Amino acid sequence: MRDIAKRLENKKNTSLLIVLCVFCFKCNAQNNNMLYVNDSIESHILRGDNNAYNILSEKVYGINLLPYALIMASSYNYGLACYDIYTIIIEEMHDKNNLSIDSLLIEAAINYLIKGADLNNWNCCIELSYLYEKGLFVEQSDKKSLMYLERAKSVKGKYIIEHDESVEKE
């Protein structure tokens, strides 16, 4: 019963995060007149168009992409958006801007990585492999690290992926 209550609470928090991000993005865009997205691309994303999301993600970075990434990951199970959520929360908000993020937000970011890995996004697999190897944000596990590294290799195809190096070898 506690497990069900915890899952419902996490879904409420994730939904609240989505609503808050969309609201903040809209307010920021209206106040600063800096909306980078035209209605056409935005409406396509709201309907789950992966190509529209990819176009947007090339033009809009960081926190401004978060509402769209949350929509694509949560409503349309798009693995790349799951990876983007993690990088926005951990790398952009926490690392670059030194914002304090609580354990619930870190847990949400990790859960999106896991979801993205389950959707066969190799970026999510590589990141999870690294996190489990180093014990960052998760309990250290060589077994899980290897599992995600192997999954990334199977998804990526002929490329050998090493997360200790920032290059891919053929």
Side-chain angles (χ1 to χ4, degrees), residues 14-43:
T14 301
S15 297
L16 180 60
L17 179 64
I18 292 170
V19 170
L20 181 62
C21 287
V22 170
F23 176 75
C24 290
F25 180 74
K26 290 292 188 184
C27 288
N28 185 39
Q30 290 170 355
N31 291 339
N32 296 325
N33 219 3
M34 294 177 58
L35 187 58
Y36 298 104
V37 185
N38 65 30
D39 288 334
S40 177
I41 291 176
E42 186 177 46
S43 66

Side-chain angles (χ1 to χ4, degrees), residues 6-123:
K6 186 176 180 180
R7 286 184 184 174
L8 287 174
E9 186 63 30
N10 284 342
K11 286 184 181 182
K12 287 180 190 174
N13 289 332
T14 301
S15 297
L16 180 60
L17 179 64
I18 292 170
V19 170
L20 181 62
C21 287
V22 170
F23 176 75
C24 290
F25 180 74
K26 290 292 188 184
C27 288
N28 185 39
Q30 290 170 355
N31 291 339
N32 296 325
N33 219 3
M34 294 177 58
L35 187 58
Y36 298 104
V37 185
N38 65 30
D39 288 334
S40 177
I41 291 176
E42 186 177 46
S43 66
H44 283 277
I45 290 170
L46 293 174
R47 291 191 307 265
D49 185 335
N50 294 351
N51 291 328
Y53 178 81
N54 293 341
I55 291 168
L56 178 71
S57 67
E58 292 175 4
K59 297 177 182 177
V60 177
Y61 304 99
I63 196 74
N64 291 331
L65 183 62
L66 187 57
Y68 300 103
L70 286 165
I71 290 166
M72 290 299 294
S74 297
S75 297
Y76 300 106
N77 295 321
Y78 189 42
L80 181 59
C82 294
Y83 180 74
D84 288 344
I85 291 168
Y86 170 82
T87 58
I88 292 166
I89 291 171
I90 300 299
E91 293 177 10
E92 182 74 21
M93 293 170 64
H94 182 263
D95 295 345
K96 285 185 182 176
N97 293 310
N98 295 323
L99 295 176
S100 177
I101 55 176
D102 64 9
S103 60
L104 186 60
L105 196 52
I106 291 171
E107 182 181 345
I110 298 300
N111 285 338
Y112 275 108
L113 270 185
I114 293 168
K115 180 177 183 171
D118 291 343
L119 294 168
N120 292 322
N121 180 275
W122 72 274
N123 293 308

